[in-house]
Amino acid sequence: MFGLNSFSTAQHRNHLTAHERLVLPDESRFISFTNVDDHVSDEVITVISILQQMLKRRQEIVYPQLTNPDPYHAPANPPLFARGDVPKCSNHEIIFSNHFGCFYLRNKDEKTNNNEQNESKFSVEGHACGACHRMPQPPNIYFDRVYSMNYLCNMGFMRTFAEHRLKLLEEKFNLHISMNGEVERDSQRKSRRRDFHSVGKVDNHIHAAAAFNAKRLLLFIREKIKKEPNTIVHVEDGVEMTLMNIFERLNLEPYDISLDSLAVSADSTLFQRFDKFNKSFSLFESAILRTVFLKTNNHLNGRFFAELLKSTFNRLERCQYVELRLSIYGKSLDEWDHLAKWFIDHDMAHPRVRWLIQIPRLFTIHQKNGFVQTFSDFIQNIFLPLFEVTVNPDSHRYLFFFLQHVVGFDTVDDESKPEQKYHDKYPMPTEWDMKIEPPYAYYLYFLYSNIYSLNEARRLRGLSPLALRPHAGEAGHVEHLVATFLTSQGINHGINLRLNPVLQYLYYLAKIPISVSPVSNNTLFLDLKQHPFAGFFKRGLFVTLSTDDPLQFHLTQMPLLEEYSISAKIFNFRDVDLCEIAKNSVLMSGLDVETKQKWLGRGFDNEDLLIANDSKRTNVPNLRLHFRRSCFNNEHSLLSLGVTDVTNLLNAYKRVKQTNQPQVNCDEITNASIASVVESSVQDISDVESLMNVETNRPRSRSVPDESTTPKPHIKGNEKISMSSPVEMYLDIDMFEKASLRSPTHDNQYQNRRLSLTNNLMFKL
């Protein structure tokens, strides 16, 4: 489709502004990608129309861009727990919606007693009645779209198109480096007082319990044994234990301990064994010492853990920031208060540290131990305190100030565990009392819906929103990446995008941040020689490097630089590449605007390339950013060839099929061609026509509250609940939502036809 032509600068400068151009070293000639064949096949139009729909679905579901200012955001070096300026209690009540599985706010009745504002009680309703803010998409819509997108991303013609585009992007980058590598290097050398080591960089994915290397932890333990050998650090069954008592119980000589006996460093025995990896956090193979040194809630109130982290903060370079993960398990309602008290009491705020809250997917373990009964209890333990402190900051005063330093949520656990697939039969959280771990997509939706509603509540109160940046694509099914595509502002790992070119291309088009940890992946799931990070970067995905768990995977005192150094050697990255990766880390981080301006320039979020990139701060030449922007704009201009209104495809096909006239409307020809692609996928257009005449808005088989007793949720426009039929995967959902209502006697016919079509598609897959 594309060819290479040479042009002189003077004659063709205006022409090249509409094309991608690569500047030669002497800047006197250009290499331009121009269309050789203006014909675009009907199959390509079909594919890009479907891609348009996918991007549209993400925009409809995901929370809008997190750009709202936070007037209560802590300054760079905040005075902790300033008891003065906090918002007053608002006149809202907290409601839990059974339909959405999330909390939301509603204005209180005027007759409500003011004393009730401080109560922790909340109401439960079947739908979002009277919500004073926007609500997330209902779960049935979300699961339908995950299901249909999962099918679509595995269609042969979709994969072929996406793979072609991604390879073209990679070859463009290789050509750019061949022609302009020297120009970029010379541009960097002219930069003053700025190099890779002095540009801003953020470790976007690092867990607090492993934010230091094993050597640093060992030295800290030795120091505590020497200075506080008789300090009571643990109580078990009413028996008080000192550090010396614990080491005697483990038959260890405190002064002879070593890195080998500490037993935290990862090796080849952990490959594909996430269960063993979790056990590696048990220091000296002792769960007690893990609690003493790596937990916030213990007999010492997390003092050792706080001191260890603060010593790590003091070793951060001036240009380096970290986004640490702390855990909230969902076992009880007071977890947030304990964590916030630990944060405030130990003065954990630091100008180069931001915090995320990770939610381990351990519902069945909590259920087995009696902490929760249903998944709804799990959700309420996590989010009810957050809504309470949003409505009334005085109800959880420590938590209010702790949240000033929190920028988002994460969800963690072993993705490789097998999952029970339900699709359209998921029970709601109040009904999930089974002793089965919910699937990843189920967890993610109810985290997303509550964070969406929480962000709306915080917006009403003038507070900044919180991002959802989960672990996804490290292992397991690619459906996890479909779920995060629809709901998340960014992901961690994402290496399974290499298995599905359609999803990889969608992540590129949507510019979804991906924080990758090649050294961690090398130990647990994927050899470095097969790692896709270099391909992701060359193709232009929004990627950066992070450390994950330095305690297990890194040897030096500067694990982030170690990660960059290893990647540079393995993937043959140049200094320009490393600086671009570092710039990405700052852009995708939760740092405040002032800090980003410090490292990227005042116009870092401007669409104008020359304003957005301050090469004196980022050390990334404008030429590189121009190349990235031109490639990105070219791919989106390709999407403009798609058919945005596909609701009449089948009607156009029928008219063309019934009329033997040689000339028909051009739009109808295009629509008919797209419909023919749909026809070839389901093998018989009669199947499509029969499905079009079958009821599509009948009640689901899913276990949900009875519609006769539960009011239907408010949905924008005339949108109805859509079916997860194979045809829906190709055509706009709106077409099926507008289908005529038929008699229930067609129900068996619909199920048989749907099963037949699904089997046909599964046979092709």
Side-chain angles (χ1 to χ4, degrees):
M1 182 182 295
F2 294 97
L4 293 177
N5 292 306
S6 297
F7 301 94
S8 68
T9 304
Q11 295 176 347
H12 298 279
R13 181 176 298 277
N14 293 334
H15 174 73
L16 290 172
T17 57
H19 295 79
E20 302 168 39
R21 69 181 184 182
L22 304 176
V23 183
L24 294 174
D26 60 1
E27 298 188 5
S28 62
R29 298 175 66 82
F30 297 96
I31 296 297
S32 173
F33 293 96
T34 60
N35 284 336
V36 175
D37 185 2
D38 292 333
H39 173 71
V40 179
S41 68
D42 296 323
E43 182 175 290
V44 170
I45 294 179
T46 304
V47 173
I48 59 182
S49 300
I50 295 171
L51 291 173
Q52 283 179 330
Q53 293 297 314
M54 290 180 174
L55 293 171
K56 177 182 176 182
R57 298 313 176 197
R58 169 176 165 79
Q59 293 174 355
E60 292 173 351
I61 293 178
V62 74
Y63 192 75
Q65 293 295 323
L66 307 180
T67 57
N68 293 341
D70 180 3
Y72 301 102
H73 200 284
N77 192 10
L80 283 178
F81 201 56
R83 297 179 179 271
D85 299 330
V86 297
K88 296 180 180 180
C89 179
S90 67
N91 190 35
H92 295 101
E93 60 179 344
I94 304 172
I95 309 296
F96 183 78
S97 169
N98 279 330
H99 179 79
F100 290 92
C102 70
F103 292 97
Y104 67 93
L105 298 187
R106 183 173 64 185
N107 290 322
K108 282 189 175 183
D109 186 83
E110 295 180 358
K111 298 180 180 180
T112 301
N113 192 330
N114 291 333
N115 295 331
E116 295 180 1
Q117 294 180 1
N118 295 325
E119 293 181 357
S120 298
K121 297 180 181 179
F122 61 93
S123 304
V124 178
E125 293 190 354
H127 68 296
C129 179
C132 59
H133 53 74
R134 294 174 300 179
M135 294 295 290
Q137 288 281 3
N140 55 333
I141 299 296
Y142 162 80
F143 288 120
D144 280 348
R145 291 175 180 175
V146 170
Y147 175 61
S148 59
M149 274 193 63
N150 191 38
Y151 266 119
L152 270 175
C153 290
N154 287 281
M155 292 294 109
F157 62 93
M158 295 285 294
R159 294 174 67 97
T160 299
F161 175 85
E163 184 69 26
H164 170 73
R165 300 307 305 175
L166 291 170
K167 286 184 177 179
L168 184 60
L169 285 168
E170 186 171 349
E171 293 305 321
K172 286 181 182 179
F173 180 84
N174 292 333
L175 182 59
H176 170 76
I177 295 300
S178 298
M179 306 305 298
N180 301 317
E182 294 298 323
V183 178
E184 291 183 342
R185 188 183 65 178
D186 292 342
S187 177
Q188 273 196 323
R189 289 176 176 176
K190 295 177 183 178
S191 177
R192 297 181 179 180
R193 296 185 301 173
R194 197 62 90 201
D195 53 31
F196 166 69
H197 289 275
S198 61
V199 298
K201 55 186 74 70
V202 182
D203 195 344
N204 305 94
H205 171 208
I206 179 171
H207 301 276
F212 28 78
N213 67 355
K215 182 65 175 179
R216 176 61 199 148
L217 176 59
L218 183 66
L219 294 175
F220 183 81
I221 294 174
R222 286 176 177 173
E223 178 185 356
K224 290 303 173 184
I225 292 175
K226 181 179 180 180
K227 294 182 178 181
E228 303 183 46
N230 298 319
T231 300
I232 298 174
V233 298
H234 186 70
V235 177
E236 184 175 333
D237 298 329
V239 179
E240 296 179 343
M241 304 176 66
T242 66
L243 276 178
M244 295 299 294
N245 296 147
I246 296 175
F247 277 93
E248 289 173 0
R249 182 176 177 178
L250 297 174
N251 295 320
L252 289 174
E253 288 293 334
Y255 301 103
D256 293 336
I257 58 177
S258 65
L259 289 177
D260 293 333
S261 58
L262 184 61
V264 295
S265 298
D267 55 27
S268 59
T269 62
L270 300 186
F271 193 74
Q272 300 289 345
R273 292 297 303 273
F274 203 85
D275 55 337
K276 286 187 175 182
F277 169 72
N278 284 332
K279 291 180 181 179
S280 67
F281 283 90
S282 297
L283 312 182
F284 303 101
E285 300 181 351
S286 170
I288 295 177
L289 288 177
R290 176 181 182 177
T291 301
V292 170
F293 286 99
L294 302 181
K295 295 290 185 180
T296 61
N297 190 12
N298 53 34
H299 185 71
L300 294 174
N301 295 321
R303 177 167 65 87
F304 283 178
F305 185 41
E307 292 176 1
L308 184 57
L309 283 178
K310 291 172 75 173
S311 68
T312 304
F313 299 164
N314 294 333
R315 287 176 167 78
L316 290 175
E317 294 183 325
R318 186 183 67 88
C319 60
Q320 185 179 341
Y321 297 77
V322 293
E323 295 185 317
L324 295 179
R325 269 74 171 165
L326 292 171
S327 293
I328 289 292
Y329 295 93
K331 297 189 294 185
S332 64
L333 289 170
D334 59 359
E335 281 186 85
W336 280 104
D337 291 326
H338 287 305
L339 182 61
K341 190 175 187 303
W342 169 83
F343 185 90
I344 299 297
D345 288 347
H346 296 290
D347 193 11
M348 295 304 297
H350 193 278
R352 290 193 290 277
V353 180
R354 301 296 183 271
W355 304 81
L356 283 89
I357 302 301
Q358 62 182 22
I359 313 296
R361 299 187 296 276
L362 301 174
F363 165 72
T364 53
I365 295 178
H366 303 332
Q367 184 188 50
K368 181 179 179 181
N369 294 330
F371 294 112
V372 296
Q373 298 299 322
T374 66
F375 194 79
S376 177
D377 299 334
F378 176 77
I379 292 296
Q380 290 170 12
N381 288 340
I382 295 172
F383 289 102
L384 180 57
L386 298 179
F387 279 86
E388 289 177 340
V389 75
T390 302
V391 172
N392 183 12
D394 281 329
S395 64
H396 303 272
R397 199 170 179 87
Y398 278 50
L399 179 57
F400 175 78
F401 286 100
F402 169 55
L403 289 177
Q404 295 178 34
H405 305 270
V406 175
V407 298
F409 287 88
D410 193 351
T411 177
V412 297
D413 199 29
D414 183 9
E415 287 189 75
S416 63
K417 293 188 296 187
E419 296 179 346
Q420 182 75 37
K421 297 295 182 183
Y422 289 90
H423 296 304
D424 62 341
K425 297 182 181 180
Y426 286 116
M428 297 303 288
T430 53
E431 300 168 343
W432 192 297
D433 57 358
M434 303 172 290
K435 301 186 185 305
I436 302 175
E437 198 71 60
Y440 181 94
Y442 189 90
Y443 265 106
L444 196 64
Y445 172 77
F446 292 105
L447 291 178
Y448 146 79
S449 63
N450 280 276
I451 294 171
Y452 188 107
S453 187
L454 176 64
N455 283 336
E456 283 294 289
R458 289 173 64 84
R459 180 181 60 83
L460 293 176
R461 301 288 282 152
L463 303 173
S464 61
L466 302 172
L468 175 59
R469 291 157 51 185
H471 281 52
E474 184 180 18
H477 200 279
V478 293
E479 183 181 281
H480 301 179
L481 292 165
V482 174
T484 53
F485 173 80
L486 292 172
T487 61
S488 305
Q489 283 79 32
I491 63 171
N492 305 301
H493 293 300
I495 56 176
N496 273 359
L497 286 173
R498 75 191 192 280
L499 304 177
N500 195 295
V502 181
L503 273 175
Q504 188 180 151
Y505 189 55
L506 284 169
Y507 271 71
Y508 168 79
L509 293 173
K511 297 193 70 173
I512 299 176
I514 308 171
S515 182
V516 189
S517 307
V519 176
S520 167
N521 302 145
N522 176 68
T523 304
L524 293 177
F525 292 106
L526 185 66
D527 190 273
L528 268 177
K529 297 177 182 178
Q530 303 173 351
H531 203 281
F533 181 80
F536 290 171
F537 175 75
K538 292 178 179 180
R539 293 170 179 181
L541 274 73
F542 193 15
V543 293
T544 192
L545 292 168
S546 57
T547 59
D548 195 0
D549 295 294
L551 178 62
Q552 278 79 18
F553 305 124
H554 297 82
L555 302 177
T556 68
Q557 296 285 357
M558 294 186 289
L560 185 60
L561 287 181
E562 184 179 346
E563 191 85 31
Y564 275 87
S565 176
I566 293 173
S567 298
K569 301 304 179 185
I570 297 295
F571 305 131
N572 295 319
F573 286 150
R574 303 152 58 92
D575 285 347
V576 178
D577 302 332
L578 296 179
C579 290
E580 184 182 359
I581 294 170
K583 178 186 176 182
N584 288 345
S585 73
V586 179
L587 280 172
M588 69 176 66
S589 71
L591 297 177
D592 53 87
V593 173
E594 292 78 9
T595 305
K596 289 185 177 180
Q597 288 177 343
K598 174 182 177 181
W599 297 107
L600 303 179
R602 298 191 62 84
F604 70 91
D605 56 348
N606 196 292
E607 294 184 0
D608 189 331
L609 175 63
L610 296 179
I611 299 177
N613 183 53
D614 186 348
S615 59
K616 294 180 180 179
R617 297 176 184 266
T618 64
N619 204 33
V620 180
N622 284 338
L623 180 59
R624 172 63 63 89
L625 272 298
H626 173 79
F627 167 75
R628 293 295 193 192
R629 184 68 59 86
S630 63
C631 289
F632 184 77
N633 290 342
N634 184 67
E635 296 304 314
H636 272 272
S637 66
L638 181 63
L639 292 184
S640 64
L641 299 176
V643 179
T644 57
D645 183 9
V646 293
T647 58
N648 296 318
L649 292 183
L650 293 179
N651 293 333
Y653 178 86
K654 292 176 185 177
R655 290 195 299 271
V656 175
K657 188 175 181 180
Q658 292 173 359
T659 59
N660 296 323
Q661 299 177 3
Q663 295 182 350
V664 293
N665 185 277
C666 294
D667 293 334
E668 291 189 353
I669 293 177
T670 303
N671 291 341
S673 302
I674 298 174
S676 67
V677 176
V678 177
E679 174 189 11
S680 65
S681 300
V682 296
Q683 296 189 2
D684 190 349
I685 194 63
S686 62
D687 293 338
V688 181
E689 294 169 352
S690 62
L691 274 177
M692 287 294 297
N693 295 322
V694 177
E695 173 191 353
T696 60
N697 56 358
R698 59 185 178 80
R700 290 303 197 112
S701 59
R702 165 185 311 142
S703 298
V704 296
D706 186 3
E707 296 293 333
S708 62
T709 59
T710 303
K712 294 182 179 180
H714 174 71
I715 303 176
K716 294 181 180 180
N718 297 321
E719 189 177 16
K720 299 183 178 62
I721 295 175
S722 56
M723 295 304 297
S724 299
S725 64
V727 181
E728 176 195 63
M729 297 183 295
Y730 294 90
L731 304 182
D732 193 354
I733 292 175
D734 295 337
M735 178 168 62
F736 289 86
E737 292 166 351
K738 297 175 183 176
S740 59
L741 181 65
R742 293 294 300 272
S743 170
T745 57
H746 291 268
D747 190 65
N748 292 334
Q749 175 189 358
Y750 174 87
Q751 290 293 348
N752 293 336
R753 180 66 66 188
R754 181 182 177 188
L755 179 62
S756 174
L757 296 177
T758 305
N759 289 338
N760 289 338
L761 288 176
M762 290 299 293
F763 177 78
K764 289 188 175 185
L765 293 176

